[in-house]
Amino acid sequence: MITIHIPTPLRRFTANHNQVQVSGSTVNQALQTLAEQHPGLQRQIFDENGQLRHFINVFINADDIRLHEGQATAVSDGDELELLPAIAGGNLQALTSAEWRSQLEDEIEQLRASAAMPWLQDHQDAQILDVRTREEWTSGHIPRAVHLDKGYLEVQIESRIPDRNTPVLVYCASGVRSLFAARTLQMLGYRRVINLAGGIVQWKNAGLPIETPDFLSSEQRARYLRHLAIPEVGENGQLTLLKSRVLLIGAGGLGCPAAIYLAAAGVGTLGLVDDDVVDRTNLQRQILHTEDAVGSSKIESIQSRVRQLNSSVNINLHPLRLDKASAADLFARYDVIVDCSDNFDTRYIINDEAAALGKPVVHGSVYRFDGQVSVFWAGKGPCYRCLYPAAPPPELAPPCAEAGVLGVLPGTIGLLQATEVLKLLLDMGRPLIGRSLCFDALNASFREIRYAADPHCACCTTVVPGRTTEVYDEAV
Ligand SMILES: [Zn+2]
């Protein structure tokens, strides 16, 4: 191997290494290899015609190569080459902004828009980096690009592009800010940094594609700031929630807490199914209904409370008692179904129609001091009928009106349901598929029971072709 000593001014192109080992049999080959390993050096050492630049002197074992055979001088293992560029003076030379820019234009590899597209196709591993402001980014950007405002470049680039071997095509509006950003990236050790000459303006003029992102308004950013701070949610997660559609069946004890928290979290569309009116006996636990609302529609009562909290949520009112036909029609329009009902007929209709459409059902139920939450999702795990093939006889399962329920209990269970809904929408964590979480308020304890899909289930064996339970089996 030949050792090439890199002088300080050129070390920014070699990730700050002061020497580089290369192979080759002549000085020229050794320098070519060096430039291949560190492409930023190419323009420093060689001119457009591939000739060694005049202001760079090369020494072999401390002899000027011109004393030998110039670039054709033979080199062998153990030889040492030294590059010595002309330096204006011992002091740092102060440059004007224009001079600095002009120097960078010489030093930084640049591609025009027309050449950038084929280059990107050849370099699928390359990362496009947009260093404009957030406002500029949201008005449209190059597809596949990541955004990092130039002001945050030094502090955040390592988390955005961790591998310094990743080729980076950096751009701004016109290609000037990105030129300075490119230099910064080189100084931080990124080995192949290319500036998009003419920036996104040229890119657009060349008729190349632009992507306009969905983004949160400043008002939405403020409202959901605590979500944005969670990496598992973040801006993309919040945008997902805003586009999500959740159907709540039952506007009572479970439906009220679930609806209000889902609205607060920014779920964009809530559907409410219930044909009942508010009764004074509801007020002990159905917390969105007020004394003024007694006698009026429950879903309208929820709608008005949700509007006070988050006026941007779309609320679809479905004043009906769910049957097979309405369920099939409604479920197709929602992402997640939340079972907040209070009778077995409805629960089986919900299960069967959701299973047929492959939609997840977040189930909640309460009885005196006990509550239960689970997620039924035929195809990914068991359904409600796998767990309870048939409803119990009425004497074993009295309705809430007869059995009674501790007023706070539906709050606990409804919020656990809302939590499962958010997990499903954001595809995070481990949903309660194949598991049921049982809450005993008197004992203040949670207990988890696990159950499997029933191979003879009357529902999911018919609606899920080749049903598998691997997904949930793995989770268990
Ligand atoms: Zn089943």
Side-chain angles (χ1 to χ4, degrees):
M1 296 301 269
I2 323 293
T3 302
I4 304 185
H5 294 274
I6 310 294
T8 315
L10 297 183
R11 282 181 203 159
R12 59 175 181 261
F13 302 106
T14 58
N16 276 327
H17 294 302
N18 58 7
Q19 54 183 50
V20 174
Q21 307 283 328
V22 301
S23 54
S25 53
T26 64
V27 168
N28 185 271
Q29 281 179 7
L31 295 180
Q32 294 286 357
T33 313
L34 173 69
E36 281 162 26
Q37 287 179 12
H38 301 283
L41 278 175
Q42 179 75 34
R43 295 161 59 90
Q44 303 298 319
I45 307 178
F46 298 107
D47 64 19
E48 309 75 54
N49 303 318
Q51 299 299 310
L52 194 62
R53 288 195 183 271
H54 295 304
F55 53 82
I56 294 204
N57 290 324
V58 183
F59 295 80
I60 176 163
N61 303 327
D63 277 357
D64 190 325
I65 55 170
R66 285 172 292 192
L67 296 172
H68 298 269
E69 288 156 60
Q71 292 182 60
T73 306
V75 289
S76 52
D77 263 2
D79 279 347
E80 301 201 357
L81 294 179
E82 190 146 350
L83 298 179
L84 210 57
I87 296 173
N91 294 324
L92 273 178
Q93 201 184 345
L95 296 177
T96 63
S97 170
E99 285 168 341
W100 175 226
R101 176 180 159 187
S102 148
Q103 185 181 325
L104 291 183
E105 278 169 349
D106 280 344
E107 292 178 3
I108 306 261
E109 192 177 353
Q110 303 212 61
L111 279 180
R112 298 204 72 77
S114 51
M117 199 58 164
W119 183 85
L120 285 168
Q121 272 154 8
D122 289 347
H123 295 81
Q124 292 293 328
D125 61 328
Q127 184 64 65
I128 311 171
L129 179 67
D130 185 323
V131 294
R132 297 174 300 158
T133 63
R134 194 180 159 73
E135 287 66 35
E136 291 176 286
W137 161 263
T138 51
S139 69
H141 59 74
I142 295 178
R144 245 177 77 190
V146 293
H147 175 244
L148 181 53
D149 189 312
K150 189 169 174 293
Y152 299 96
L153 190 63
E154 293 86 347
V155 285
Q156 291 185 2
I157 187 65
E158 284 161 328
S159 61
R160 297 298 169 86
I161 308 179
D163 182 357
R164 286 172 161 75
N165 289 315
T166 305
V168 183
L169 177 71
V170 56
Y171 75 91
C172 62
S174 67
V176 177
R177 279 175 291 168
S178 56
L179 194 62
F180 296 109
R183 162 49 46 87
T184 304
L185 292 176
Q186 285 181 337
M187 292 171 80
L188 289 170
Y190 289 84
R191 294 196 172 79
R192 181 105 194 254
V193 184
I194 298 176
N195 184 40
L196 181 66
I200 197 169
V201 172
Q202 282 292 328
W203 178 274
K204 274 188 208 164
N205 290 346
L208 294 166
I210 295 285
E211 204 170 79
T212 307
D214 288 324
F215 63 96
L216 299 175
S217 66
S218 51
E219 197 181 310
Q220 287 170 321
R221 293 188 69 77
R223 177 182 278 266
Y224 303 116
L225 200 56
R226 296 297 182 276
H227 269 169
L228 303 188
I230 308 175
E232 289 81 354
V233 184
E235 178 149 4
N236 284 337
Q238 192 62 52
L239 286 164
T240 301
L241 292 181
L242 290 166
K243 284 184 213 154
S244 296
R245 302 172 60 86
V246 174
L247 185 67
L248 294 148
I249 297 152
L254 298 170
C256 284
I260 201 76
Y261 266 92
L262 291 174
V267 170
T269 301
L270 291 177
L272 303 173
V273 180
D274 203 311
D275 66 347
D276 211 356
V277 294
V278 179
D279 182 86
R280 198 160 292 276
T281 62
N282 299 151
L283 304 182
Q284 165 249 20
R285 65 201 175 281
Q286 304 184 10
I287 50 142
L288 295 186
H289 309 314
T290 58
E291 291 174 7
D292 290 345
V294 170
S296 60
S297 151
K298 280 189 175 180
I299 54 178
E300 282 173 25
S301 156
I302 291 186
Q303 180 185 41
S304 77
R305 298 296 299 275
V306 165
R307 280 207 178 127
Q308 287 168 358
L309 172 72
N310 190 346
S311 57
S312 66
V313 175
N314 300 311
I315 305 222
N316 298 334
L317 299 182
H318 306 292
L320 50 87
R321 194 168 177 84
L322 202 72
D323 57 19
K324 255 179 106 57
S326 58
D329 173 46
L330 279 179
F331 289 9
R333 288 140 58 187
Y334 290 90
D335 304 312
V336 176
I337 317 301
V338 192
D339 182 354
C340 302
S341 67
D342 59 358
N343 66 84
F344 286 107
D345 287 350
T346 307
R347 290 196 190 279
Y348 283 108
I349 291 171
I350 292 172
N351 181 69
D352 296 351
E353 297 310 316
L357 291 165
K359 306 267 175 170
V361 175
V362 179
H363 166 102
S365 55
V366 288
Y367 179 87
R368 292 189 178 166
F369 302 103
D370 295 329
Q372 203 172 325
V373 189
S374 191
V375 174
F376 299 110
W377 198 350
K380 304 226 178 199
C383 78
Y384 185 60
R385 279 191 199 274
C386 292
L387 189 59
Y388 301 113
E395 64 274 18
L396 290 181
C400 178
E402 292 164 35
V405 60
L406 189 68
V408 293
L409 188 68
T412 305
I413 300 301
L415 288 193
L416 286 170
Q417 288 180 278
T419 310
E420 289 304 301
V421 170
L422 293 186
K423 282 162 62 187
L424 290 171
L425 294 175
L426 295 173
D427 192 19
M428 64 178 184
R430 187 170 155 243
L432 277 168
I433 297 174
R435 300 184 290 147
S436 192
L437 189 63
C438 306
F439 176 51
D440 175 346
L442 281 186
N443 195 42
S445 67
F446 283 98
R447 193 159 49 83
E448 180 185 307
I449 56 165
R450 301 171 186 187
Y451 52 93
D454 174 2
H456 307 293
C457 171
C459 170
C460 48
T461 49
T462 59
V463 297
V464 183
R467 180 188 60 186
T468 66
T469 55
E470 282 89 340
V471 177
Y472 119 82
D473 284 340
E474 263 170 36
V476 170

